C-alpha cells in the first residue's frame, strides 16, 4: 500500500536529511496515531504542501497524537511547468468542494473562486469566509489523499473585473464555452508560463463577461460534444491540458 501523506510545517522539514528523526504532532499526529493507527515500521510521508517531502518509516508512537519518523529520503519537487490555474465560478451547494477535490487530485496548481454575474451562490461576510476555508481544507485533504507534495493554492475570491489582470498576464487563457468555435484539444499551447481556464456557472458566462475576457486575451473554447456541469468541467479540461503539455507523460 502507498505510504500515507501528512502535512507538517515547512520549518519542520528544513535541513531534514536521511537519518534524521522528525516529530509529527497536533491534529495531523492525532490523525496518524488515532485514526490511521500507524505503528512502528510502517511507511509514511511528511510534506509541507509546498514541494518538499520526507519519506521514511514510523520510528515510535507516543500517546494519542505524536509519532516520530525516521527519514530515509527527502525529495523536493520544482514548480511544474506550465502552471495550470482554474478560475471556478461559485457553484451551488457542495459542488464547489467536489470541483476543488477532483481538480486537486487531477493536478491543478491553483484555483481561483469567481463570483460570476450568473452565480446563484454569492460569498459575502462570514459565510464567504467559511466557504473559502472549506475550499482550502478540501484542497489540503485531497492533496494528501492523492499523494501530492505540492498542494494547489486556493486564492481569495474575485469579481470579473478583478479577474482580468490574471487573464491578461497568462501565457494562454481559455473560457470553457459550449459555443466556442475552437476545440480546446486543438488549441496552440505555450511550453511554459501560466495556462488559465475559466469555468462559468450553471447559468453560463454572460455576454458582457465573454467580451471583457476576450479583450483580456481569453477566448471561448469548447471542451467536447457534451456540456459538462460547472463542478466537472474544470477537472476534464485540466486533464486534457496536463496530457497535452506532457505533465502526465
Amino acid at each position: 500500500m502507498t505510504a500515507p501523506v501528512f502535512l507538517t510545517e515547512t520549518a519542520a522539514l528544513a535541513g531534514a536529511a536521511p537519518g534524521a528523526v522528525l516529530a509529527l504532532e497536533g491534529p495531523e499526529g492525532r490523525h496518524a496515531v488515532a485514526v490511521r493507527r500507524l505503528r512502528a515500521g510502517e511507511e509514511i510521508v511528511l510534506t509541507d504542501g509546498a514541494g518538499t517531502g520526507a519519506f521514511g518509516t514510523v520510528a515510535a508512537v507516543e500517546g494519542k497524537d505524536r509519532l516520530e519518523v525516521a527519514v530515509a529520503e527527502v525529495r523536493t519537487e520544482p514548480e511544474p511547468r506550465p502552471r495550470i490555474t482554474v478560475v471556478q465560478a461559485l457553484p451551488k451547494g457542495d459542488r464547489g468542494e467536489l470541483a476543488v477535490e477532483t481538480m486537486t487530485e487531477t493536478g491543478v496548481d491553483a484555483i481561483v473562486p469567481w463570483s460570476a454575474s450568473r452565480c446563484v451562490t454569492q460569498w459575502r461576510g462570514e459565510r464567504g469566509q467559511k466557504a473559502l476555508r472549506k475550499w482550502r481544507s478540501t484542497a489540503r485533504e485531497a492533496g494528501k489523499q492523492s499523494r501530492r507534495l505540492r498542494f494547489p493554492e486556493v486564492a481569495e475570491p474575485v469579481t470579473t473585473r478583478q479577474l482580468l489582470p490574471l487573464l491578461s498576464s497568462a501565457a494562454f487563457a481559455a473560457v470553457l464555452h459550449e459555443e466556442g468555435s475552437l476545440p480546446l484539444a486543438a488549441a496552440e499551447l505555450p511550453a511554459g508560463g501560466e495556462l488559465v481556464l475559466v469555468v462559468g456557472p450553471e447559468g453560463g458566462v454572460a455576454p458582457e463577461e465573454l467580451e471583457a475576457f476576450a479583450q483580456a486575451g481569453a477566448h471561448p473554447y469548447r471542451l467536447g460534444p457534451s456540456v459538462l456541469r460547472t463542478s466537472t468541467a474544470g477537472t476534464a479540461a485540466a486533464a486534457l491540458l496536463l496530457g497535452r503539455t506532457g505533465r502526465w507523460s
Side-chain angles (χ1 to χ4, degrees), residues 192-214:
E194 185 170 24
L195 313 184
V196 179
L197 296 168
V198 179
V199 180
E202 298 290 359
V205 182
E208 59 272 20
E209 291 170 333
L210 285 173
E211 181 179 353
F213 293 160

Side-chain angles (χ1 to χ4, degrees), residues 88-97 99 119-121 123 135 201-202 230-231:
Q88 175 65 58
L90 305 179
K92 294 181 292 184
D94 61 359
R95 288 190 172 275
E97 289 93 83
C119 282
V120 174
T121 299
W123 287 2
W135 279 34
E202 298 290 359
T230 184
S231 54

Side-chain angles (χ1 to χ4, degrees), residues 28-143:
E28 289 288 277
R30 186 176 306 112
H31 184 73
V33 174
V35 179
R36 295 299 300 264
R37 298 184 180 277
L38 295 184
R39 296 295 179 259
E42 294 191 77
E43 294 185 345
I44 186 174
V45 179
L46 303 183
T47 181
D48 59 359
T52 300
F55 295 71
T57 56
V58 177
V61 176
E62 299 178 10
K64 297 181 179 180
D65 61 357
R66 188 180 192 277
L67 55 76
E68 293 183 343
V69 178
V71 179
E73 179 186 4
V74 177
R75 300 178 194 168
T76 300
E77 292 184 352
E79 290 193 24
R81 291 289 184 269
R83 174 181 168 91
I84 297 177
T85 294
V86 176
V87 177
Q88 175 65 58
L90 305 179
K92 294 181 292 184
D94 61 359
R95 288 190 172 275
E97 289 93 83
L98 173 63
V100 171
E101 179 180 51
T102 55
M103 287 191 289
T104 299
E105 292 171 355
T106 302
V108 165
D109 303 301
I111 300 167
V112 181
W114 170 38
S115 297
S117 64
R118 292 180 177 175
C119 282
V120 174
T121 299
Q122 296 293 330
W123 287 2
R124 296 188 179 93
E126 178 54 31
R127 178 186 177 186
Q129 290 302 309
K130 181 179 179 181
L132 180 60
R133 288 195 295 269
K134 288 180 68 174
W135 279 34
R136 288 174 170 168
S137 175
T138 298
R140 286 194 301 272
E141 294 306 311

Side-chain angles (χ1 to χ4, degrees), residues 207-234:
E208 59 272 20
E209 291 170 333
L210 285 173
E211 181 179 353
F213 293 160
Q215 292 177 359
H219 300 284
Y221 287 81
R222 66 180 184 275
L223 188 55
S226 59
V227 178
L228 301 181
R229 299 200 69 161
T230 184
S231 54
T232 54

